[in-house]
Amino acid sequence: MTRYDVIVVGARCAGAATATLLARAGLRVLLADRAKPGGDTLSTHALLRGGVLQLTKWGLLDAVVAAGTPAVTTTSFDYGCQSTTVTIRPAAGVSALYAPRRTVLDALLVDAAVAAGAEVAFGVTVTGVLRDGHGRVNGVAVVDGRRVRQAYAPLVVGADGVRSTVADAVGAPVREEGEHAGALWMTYVTGLANQGYRWFYRPGAAFGLVPTNDGATCVFGGMARDRFTVPARRDRWESLLGRFDRAGLACVAGELRSATRVGPVRGWPGVPGRRRAAYGPGWALVGDAGYYKDPIGVHGITQALRDAQLLADAVVDGALPRYERLRDELSAGLFSATDAIAAYDWDPDRVQGLVRRLISAMSRELEFLASE
């Protein structure tokens, strides 16, 4: 570890995609992550059109498909009193959606970064940033085993999640905070047919079924943060199924009871959405580190891939203010609608309106990405 053009902290989808694009542009990039390669992470998995479009542009969608990620050709919305199913029709070069496991997607992006020439260091912990005599960030301090090292670069990118070490170390200002926070429980089952993305909204609860790799379906149930409880580990699956039953979704619960659970039931207690400054002297933020939205909007991975492109373009062009402006303009409608859904205080009519707002904002996002 010595000197680089850019150091990217965090090798999940946002960081690995950013490192790939910067390395492809000819920059010397270090991509560092404290985790070991190939690890899983809690995720709703669903890629929206904008995310699929980015992977297509980068030449990586074929690898996602080759990994056995099923094509999603329909999306259904069930509000109790009304339900609708939308067929995914070709638009902007996207003919289907995909929801790859993070063990698949993140690994493919890391491999792409390595193929582009980035140096990747797993199992190292970034403990803080380094600064020059003028206070500008110019590197990171790293613990590698028992050794403390320094790595230097004129730009450090924090892609290390909602609890970002980099964001805290640079004192990234918080520009906006959400008013609400949703919690969720999730797991995986096999034995369900691929019926596309299935979203269910009921008073005080929301649910999703998302087909992913290895014949599995990601199953999650969301609720307001103050309704989040932690059952004993052995009781968590039945507790999640009980949430479907109490929401009037006994038929879906029956499907799940007939399926085979193939993973632990994991929970997320929820934190409010947050928009931080996107950049400062010697640093930038991407993914949840800079702009976190509640997962009930299932837009996090798509935004991570989108913002990786925006940031990489801005770095190459020396135009970081443009990155922040575009990030914030494209995300504003998504943030407000997602925050309102995360309140879980809506009735069926209101949540339908909020979902329409989300879809409208995603359409504007897709139009922008397709024009680039």
Side-chain angles (χ1 to χ4, degrees):
M1 291 185 176
T2 53
R3 297 186 179 275
Y4 305 87
D5 296 315
V6 182
I7 297 170
V8 181
V9 181
R12 292 292 181 182
C13 52
T18 301
T20 297
L21 297 171
L22 292 173
R24 286 180 176 180
L27 301 183
R28 187 181 183 200
V29 179
L30 171 65
L31 176 62
D33 199 296
R34 64 183 180 184
K36 296 179 181 179
D40 204 357
T41 188
L42 193 147
S43 176
T44 57
H45 301 299
L47 283 171
L48 306 174
R49 281 188 188 268
V52 177
L53 176 60
Q54 291 306 103
L55 292 176
T56 303
K57 286 181 176 180
W58 302 338
L60 299 177
L61 183 62
D62 287 347
V64 170
V65 174
T69 312
V72 170
T73 57
T74 61
T75 300
S76 63
F77 302 88
D78 187 320
Y79 302 101
C81 59
Q82 180 181 346
S83 63
T84 183
T85 298
V86 178
T87 299
I88 307 301
R89 302 188 185 282
V94 176
S95 58
L97 305 181
Y98 296 88
R101 284 288 295 264
R102 297 296 295 277
T103 50
V104 171
L105 178 62
D106 295 359
L108 286 173
L109 290 167
V110 169
D111 288 346
V114 173
E119 181 179 334
V120 179
F122 281 102
V124 299
T125 300
V126 172
T127 58
V129 298
L130 308 175
R131 298 179 185 270
D132 64 18
H134 302 285
R136 180 185 179 89
V137 172
N138 69 347
V140 294
V142 175
V143 176
D144 179 6
R146 295 184 177 180
R147 295 173 294 180
V148 179
R149 305 190 192 185
Q150 292 78 41
Y152 294 92
L155 181 66
V156 172
V157 175
D160 47 343
V162 67
R163 298 186 177 94
S164 169
T165 296
V166 173
D168 290 342
V170 302
V174 176
R175 305 295 196 201
E176 182 179 13
E177 286 194 277
E179 297 180 10
H180 309 290
L184 60 81
W185 286 100
M186 63 83 62
T187 190
Y188 302 92
V189 301
T190 58
L192 296 186
N194 179 355
Q195 299 181 53
Y197 294 163
R198 300 167 67 188
W199 314 124
F200 304 88
Y201 301 90
R202 296 295 188 273
F207 304 90
L209 274 66
V210 180
T212 186
N213 298 86
D214 302 319
T217 297
C218 173
V219 180
F220 70 83
M223 70 221 72
R225 181 170 57 172
D226 61 7
R227 302 295 300 274
F228 183 78
T229 58
V230 183
R233 193 176 300 275
R234 65 179 179 275
D235 298 328
R236 291 177 184 175
W237 177 227
E238 279 301 321
S239 176
L240 179 55
L241 291 174
R243 291 184 180 277
F244 281 87
D245 285 328
R246 290 190 296 275
L249 292 166
C251 57
V252 181
E255 289 182 54
L256 297 174
R257 287 190 171 94
S258 298
T260 301
R261 183 164 61 87
V262 291
V265 181
R266 296 186 291 174
W268 168 247
V271 297
R274 177 191 297 165
R275 174 171 64 92
R276 292 183 183 267
Y279 74 98
W283 60 268
L285 302 175
V286 70
D288 287 346
Y291 208 137
Y292 168 76
K293 301 191 307 300
D294 194 276
I296 194 60
V298 297
H299 186 258
I301 302 174
T302 295
Q303 177 159 321
L305 302 182
R306 180 200 78 192
D307 289 353
Q309 184 75 69
L310 296 179
L311 176 57
D313 290 346
V315 171
V316 171
D317 294 342
L320 286 177
R322 181 184 68 198
Y323 163 58
E324 180 169 78
R325 176 177 59 79
L326 290 174
R327 182 201 70 167
D328 293 356
E329 288 177 356
L330 291 170
S331 300
L334 293 161
F335 184 86
S336 62
T338 301
D339 187 61
I341 294 173
Y344 288 93
D345 61 354
W346 24 259
D347 59 26
D349 287 339
R350 182 159 181 262
V351 76
Q352 286 184 66
L354 293 172
V355 171
R356 285 194 292 269
R357 280 174 53 188
L358 275 179
I359 294 172
S360 178
M362 291 172 189
S363 296
R364 290 192 295 271
E365 172 188 73
L366 180 66
E367 182 179 353
F368 171 84
L369 293 173
S371 70
E372 289 295 290

